[in-house]
Amino acid sequence: MYIEIQITNAMFRFKNLLILMGFLSFLTSCARQKQGPPQAIGIGILTVNTQYPIPLYKNETDTLPFDTLRFERSRSGKTLFVTDVKLQPYLMNEGDSDKEGEEHLKMGLIHFGPELVFSVVDTGASYFRVISNQASGEEIVIKKLPGAVYYSEERMLSENNCSNCPGSKYNPHWYIFETWERYLKRVEFITQDSLVIYDQPAGKPIFQQKDQTFLPFGVTEVKGDWLKVKKGFGRESNFDNGKNYDGWIKWRAGTNLLIDITERTYE
């Protein structure tokens, strides 16, 4: 099963990930899929904890919030995002209903919880300025709260997500802010339509994809608008051994993303 985090709330898409179409509905129900590119990608992404209300501000200098984003449980078990703000962020997923969660557990998977992730356009010692609506470009400010912990990498949450484990600095009130470089280097793989690989940023093409073959890449380096890629770990069989794929691709054009991102998979 494939879980993908990518930008806005567009329709889900698979790219030759399945051999038998009969598995499609199963995988779709068990995965967070990639979504269409955002209108503004900013400098990174902020994953928020949906267990705690989040005061929302218009400006970094405001002392009083204009609204508070709250998370409530619906009758089905899904999470409701309660706010007067018209949210269309980087990713907003209400999670499994109770019934969906039971079905996923029976399949040997997990109960998928809610997710809320914003594109960050600016950050300082006390705040994050984020895109609240990708379509309109509207921005809000989320201030850093005393007592909360702010991780710079997702793995830091995993390392400290156990209250009784030795060495764990457990804090249930967490946020994760990842720059695009940190994020892209740790995702499972990326893909790109109209793929062209260059020997260096803005250099000479060394490979151009002319069909719809699924080519999943790992990211080893980020340099401005360019990514250095290699064959995705464990997915080398998707590639032709006689061709060179190690090089650079353009991953963004201004504020628009040019790649599809699969953050993690469950198979």
Side-chain angles (χ1 to χ4, degrees):
M1 152 173 119
Y2 291 85
I3 289 185
E4 306 189 5
I5 291 184
Q6 192 174 336
I7 321 313
T8 77
N9 294 313
M11 295 187 65
F12 297 159
R13 301 187 302 164
F14 277 112
K15 292 187 174 186
N16 300 326
L17 298 180
L18 308 175
I19 297 174
L20 299 177
M21 291 302 294
F23 290 117
L24 180 59
S25 61
F26 164 74
L27 290 175
T28 301
S29 68
C30 300
R32 294 173 286 167
Q33 301 297 330
K34 67 177 170 234
Q35 301 165 304
Q39 299 301 310
I41 60 175
I43 60 174
I45 57 174
L46 178 68
T47 303
V48 306
N49 190 327
T50 57
Q51 299 299 311
Y52 296 87
I54 302 174
L56 305 177
Y57 299 82
K58 292 286 188 182
N59 301 291
E60 295 84 350
T61 56
D62 292 349
T63 57
L64 295 176
F66 71 90
D67 193 11
T68 297
L69 171 59
R70 292 181 170 83
F71 307 98
E72 297 181 359
R73 180 182 171 88
S74 70
R75 289 185 178 181
S76 71
K78 290 180 176 290
T79 294
L80 302 175
F81 302 85
V82 182
T83 176
D84 291 332
V85 175
K86 187 176 181 180
L87 287 178
Q88 188 179 325
Y90 170 91
L91 175 70
M92 185 166 64
N93 185 340
E94 59 191 359
D96 283 345
S97 65
D98 293 335
K99 183 178 180 180
E100 290 169 340
E102 291 175 3
E103 292 174 350
H104 289 162
L105 290 173
K106 289 177 183 177
M107 294 175 185
L109 304 172
I110 62 172
H111 187 295
F112 294 109
E115 297 173 292
L116 183 58
V117 185
F118 293 96
S119 294
V120 177
V121 295
D122 187 29
T123 183
S126 62
Y127 70 91
F128 297 99
R129 177 167 285 277
V130 303
I131 301 290
S132 59
N133 190 302
Q134 292 285 349
S136 66
E138 292 180 65
E139 301 177 2
I140 56 175
V141 170
I142 296 175
K143 292 197 174 185
K144 298 180 181 179
L145 302 174
V149 61
Y150 294 86
Y151 296 122
S152 60
E153 297 180 60
E154 187 197 48
R155 67 173 180 80
M156 297 172 71
L157 173 61
S158 301
E159 292 169 354
N160 294 286
N161 205 26
C162 174
S163 59
N164 299 315
C165 297
S168 175
K169 299 177 181 179
Y170 177 70
N171 186 336
H173 197 173
W174 52 261
Y175 292 77
I176 307 171
F177 170 60
E178 298 175 280
T179 62
W180 278 103
E181 180 169 9
R182 288 196 295 264
Y183 176 64
L184 291 172
K185 282 183 176 180
R186 64 97 170 162
V187 300
E188 185 153 343
F189 62 82
I190 64 159
T191 58
Q192 186 176 56
D193 294 331
S194 304
L195 172 68
V196 181
I197 302 177
Y198 298 83
D199 62 343
Q200 59 184 339
K204 181 171 59 178
I206 60 173
F207 174 80
Q208 184 169 357
Q209 188 176 37
K210 297 181 179 180
D211 55 28
Q212 294 300 310
T213 302
F214 174 61
L215 297 177
F217 290 94
V219 175
T220 62
E221 188 176 347
V222 181
K223 185 179 290 186
D225 296 342
W226 295 84
L227 301 179
K228 190 173 186 180
V229 296
K230 64 177 183 179
K231 297 176 184 178
F233 178 74
R235 301 180 182 276
E236 293 85 356
S237 61
N238 291 94
F239 296 84
D240 185 336
N241 288 331
K243 295 180 180 179
N244 178 24
Y245 299 91
D246 293 341
W248 297 81
I249 67 171
K250 194 170 185 180
W251 70 279
R252 67 183 182 190
T255 60
N256 293 319
L257 203 68
L258 302 178
I259 58 174
D260 291 320
I261 302 170
T262 300
E263 182 176 343
R264 64 175 62 88
T265 62
Y266 292 79
E267 302 180 20

